[in-house]
């Protein structure tokens, strides 16, 4: 079964990097570039994982995260927050993450990102 991953990332370079790093025959990466199109895709597809940037042009990622954690039907989707904002500058927001969710900063290590994605999806995608 192919796992669906929705990415909400407005930086073209990061989106392209994600498409290369997460390329797998067992995963489909659906890329969106703003909060509202991302939420639409999530509601329509109910993906297996969301990769969420915090600094978005239309609605900040924390607002998107709050919607995902409050809206019935989206509560079970794990979220990998991927941002340039380091945890120590965001107190107390990172502590609000659901225990199953992951917080990573950019720049990121590709292998570490793959490991986190595999762990969150509960399956191996790369050998």
């Amino acid at each position: 079964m192919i796992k669906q991953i929705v990415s909400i990332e407005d930086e073209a370079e990061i989106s392209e990097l994600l498409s290369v790093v997460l390329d797998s025959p067992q995963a489909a990466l659906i890329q969106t570039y703003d909060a509202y199109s991302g939420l639409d895709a999530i509601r329509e597809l109910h993906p297996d994982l969301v990769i969420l940037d915090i600094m978005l042009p239309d609605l900040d990622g924390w607002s998107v995260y709050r919607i995902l954690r409050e809206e019935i039907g989206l509560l079970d989707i794990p979220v990998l927050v991927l941002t340039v904002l380091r945890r120590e500058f965001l107190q107390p927001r990172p502590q609000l993450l659901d225990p199953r969710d992951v917080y990573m900063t950019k720049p990121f290590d590709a292998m570490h990102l793959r490991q986190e994605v595999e762990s969150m999806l509960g399956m191996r995608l790369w050998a």
Side-chain angles (χ1 to χ4, degrees):
M1 179 175 188
I2 294 178
K3 299 289 186 174
Q4 290 187 325
I5 303 168
V6 169
S7 166
I8 306 175
E9 172 60 63
D10 64 320
E11 293 181 46
E13 298 84 13
I14 300 296
S15 290
E16 188 169 324
L17 181 59
L18 286 173
S19 69
V20 171
V21 170
L22 299 180
D23 183 44
S24 168
Q26 298 175 58
L29 179 64
I30 297 91
Q31 294 184 308
T32 62
Y33 305 97
D34 61 70
Y36 293 113
S37 62
L39 284 167
D40 288 345
I42 293 165
R43 288 178 178 124
E44 179 183 335
L45 300 171
H46 199 275
D48 300 287
L49 176 65
V50 171
I51 298 177
L52 175 63
D53 188 12
I54 295 300
M55 296 171 59
L56 297 168
D58 53 347
L59 182 67
D60 73 274
W62 289 121
S63 296
V64 174
Y65 183 83
R66 188 178 64 252
I67 290 167
L68 294 174
R69 289 296 158 251
E70 293 176 355
E71 190 170 314
I72 301 298
L74 304 180
L75 297 170
D76 61 329
I77 302 171
V79 178
L80 191 154
V81 175
L82 186 62
T83 181
V84 297
L85 301 173
R86 294 178 47 193
R87 275 184 183 260
E88 55 266 27
F89 299 115
L90 296 173
Q91 302 296 339
R93 286 182 174 168
Q95 284 70 35
L96 300 178
L97 288 177
D98 186 284
R100 70 184 160 193
D101 297 334
V102 172
Y103 188 94
M104 289 182 66
T105 55
K106 302 172 194 171
F108 58 88
D109 177 78
M111 294 307 291
H112 183 230
L113 178 65
R114 282 182 168 188
Q115 290 170 347
E116 292 292 353
V117 167
E118 286 181 330
S119 176
M120 294 176 86
L121 292 175
M123 69 180 288
R124 297 279 309 198
L125 297 174
W126 304 278

